[in-house]
Amino acid sequence: MELKPQDLRNGSMVTDFLLVGFEQSSPSTRALLFALFLALYSLAMAMNGRIIFITWTDPRLNSPMYFFLGHLSFLDICFITTTIPQMLIHLMVKNHIVSFVSCMTQMYLVFCVGVAQCILLAFMAYDCYVAICHPLSYAQIMSQQVCVRLVSTAWFFGLINGIFLEYMSFQNPFCRDNHMENFCKAPIVITLSCGDPQFSLRVIFADAIVVLLSPMVLIVISYARILASILGRASSSGLGKTFSTCASHLTVVIFLYTSAMFSYMNPRSTHGPDKDKPFSLLYTLIAPMCNPIIYSFQNKEMKGAMVRALGRSSLSQAESV
């Protein structure tokens, strides 16, 4: 049962949250948005699923870069699955109520996967650096054991940081208005809690700086050394090929970090729901959908692997007939 604002002012505690992001939208608009989000969600799931299947089954893609890419696609699937299905339900039901536990679970998964993505992208930049600047030692430096440890490290820090951010978001009881936008988001949830939310917001902001900028420092250093190594070579015949090797990764980094920084590193004065919507949508759905597209169209090996996968699929269908 929905808690009314007057009940909350009288001291009742919030037991659920009411999503009102599409409350003013007409039924036809909600139906159109439902079809659009469902199509984009299905497309993102299919493309990331194809990336995972190809990178884990094609022996020609048995390299650290594609090992990391498969895990990045898995993280993309986890990320959109924690938010988009709830948004689809919200579009079908005008007043969609989310339980307190569901909100906590969703926020923890978003925190965990988001942090793991940032760290994994930094490790992928380091992989590019080793491949280009130390090609003779690449197999030894980026061994299978090292790659597994790097991915495990990304997941570990995601899990630990998620627990910390979850505590900061839900440490105070909730006794204010229980209305929020399309899904549970830390800055909005914190402002609904009792007491002064400024301390928790500052901690979340500081954590976002550390989590986003620390991997970014490693990414910038890696690409700076790559650039210095290329410019220091006498021949520039391989310049275009060298840059194209990591162009996909750099494009994904710019795309994800831009949307994430606007979503989680804005000052509270400019962090209103209306201003957040475009970047929340970009960070939540568009980025996971574009990642496999970027890697597929800019990487010749991925194109070839997809063609071979389609060929095997067509051959198996023909044999079954």
Side-chain angles (χ1 to χ4, degrees):
M1 181 178 179
E2 176 191 351
L3 293 176
K4 301 298 183 182
Q6 60 267 23
D7 295 331
L8 300 174
R9 286 193 294 266
N10 290 334
S12 299
M13 294 299 166
V14 172
T15 58
D16 49 41
F17 297 99
L18 183 63
L19 303 181
V20 295
F22 301 105
E23 192 176 43
Q24 303 300 324
S25 302
S26 64
S28 59
T29 301
R30 292 203 302 273
L32 180 62
L33 290 174
F34 177 87
L36 177 62
F37 288 153
L38 180 60
L40 293 176
Y41 174 69
S42 302
L43 187 61
M45 291 288 288
M47 290 190 299
N48 281 289
R50 175 62 64 90
I51 292 287
I52 294 173
F53 176 78
I54 290 174
T55 55
W56 290 0
T57 59
D58 195 317
R60 301 186 190 184
L61 301 182
N62 186 22
S63 68
M65 181 177 70
Y66 298 109
F67 175 77
F68 292 137
L69 179 58
H71 282 276
L72 181 64
S73 292
F74 178 72
L75 287 171
D76 283 337
I77 288 178
C78 293
F79 190 83
I80 58 177
T81 303
T82 61
T83 54
I84 301 303
Q86 183 185 89
M87 190 180 297
L88 293 174
I89 296 175
H90 177 29
L91 285 166
M92 293 177 62
V93 182
K94 188 174 181 180
N95 294 326
H96 181 52
I97 296 176
V98 179
S99 68
F100 191 83
V101 174
S102 296
C103 187
M104 289 183 65
T105 303
Q106 183 189 69
M107 283 181 56
Y108 175 76
L109 292 175
V110 169
F111 287 145
C112 173
V113 174
V115 172
Q117 278 183 322
C118 293
I119 297 175
L120 184 60
L121 285 172
F123 291 152
M124 293 174 74
Y126 176 74
D127 174 65
C128 288
Y129 158 72
V130 176
I132 294 173
C133 299
H134 303 282
L136 299 181
S137 305
Y138 178 72
Q140 181 180 0
I141 296 175
M142 300 301 296
S143 63
Q144 180 71 22
Q145 293 82 0
V146 170
C147 293
V148 171
R149 288 173 185 171
L150 291 177
V151 171
S152 301
T153 299
W155 275 105
F156 174 76
F157 278 101
L159 292 169
I160 296 300
N161 194 259
I163 294 174
F164 170 71
L165 293 176
E166 191 85 344
Y167 170 75
M168 294 306 303
S169 300
F170 291 94
Q171 62 175 329
N172 295 321
F174 291 82
C175 54
R176 298 182 181 176
D177 188 5
N178 64 337
H179 293 61
M180 64 173 59
E181 290 295 317
N182 304 318
F183 56 89
C184 297
K185 194 173 178 182
I188 306 300
V189 170
I190 290 173
T191 57
L192 300 179
S193 63
C194 303
D196 185 10
Q198 292 305 313
F199 174 74
S200 295
L201 288 173
R202 291 192 192 100
V203 172
I204 295 288
F205 181 78
D207 181 83
I209 292 177
V210 174
V211 168
L212 291 175
L213 295 189
S214 296
M216 178 59 74
V217 170
L218 179 58
I219 293 172
V220 171
I221 292 175
S222 298
Y223 278 102
R225 292 190 174 184
I226 289 172
L227 182 60
S229 176
I230 292 172
L231 296 178
R233 294 175 184 174
S235 173
S236 60
S237 58
L239 182 63
K241 182 179 179 180
T242 303
F243 270 118
S244 65
T245 303
C246 298
S248 302
H249 172 263
L250 192 57
T251 304
V252 170
V253 167
I254 294 172
F255 200 68
L256 186 142
Y257 267 79
T258 300
S259 55
M261 285 181 177
F262 274 98
S263 293
Y264 289 98
M265 292 181 64
N266 274 346
R268 187 65 189 94
S269 59
T270 62
H271 205 77
D274 293 335
K275 296 180 181 180
D276 260 356
K277 282 184 180 180
F279 294 107
S280 296
L281 179 60
L282 183 70
Y283 185 63
T284 304
L285 183 57
I286 306 299
M289 186 187 69
C290 289
N291 288 351
I293 295 177
I294 293 170
Y295 276 102
S296 300
F297 281 97
Q298 291 191 4
N299 191 296
K300 292 182 179 180
E301 290 182 338
M302 282 300 304
K303 290 180 184 178
M306 288 189 173
V307 170
R308 290 191 296 272
L310 290 174
R312 290 195 300 268
S313 177
S314 300
L315 181 62
S316 62
Q317 289 181 358
E319 290 177 350
S320 63
V321 174

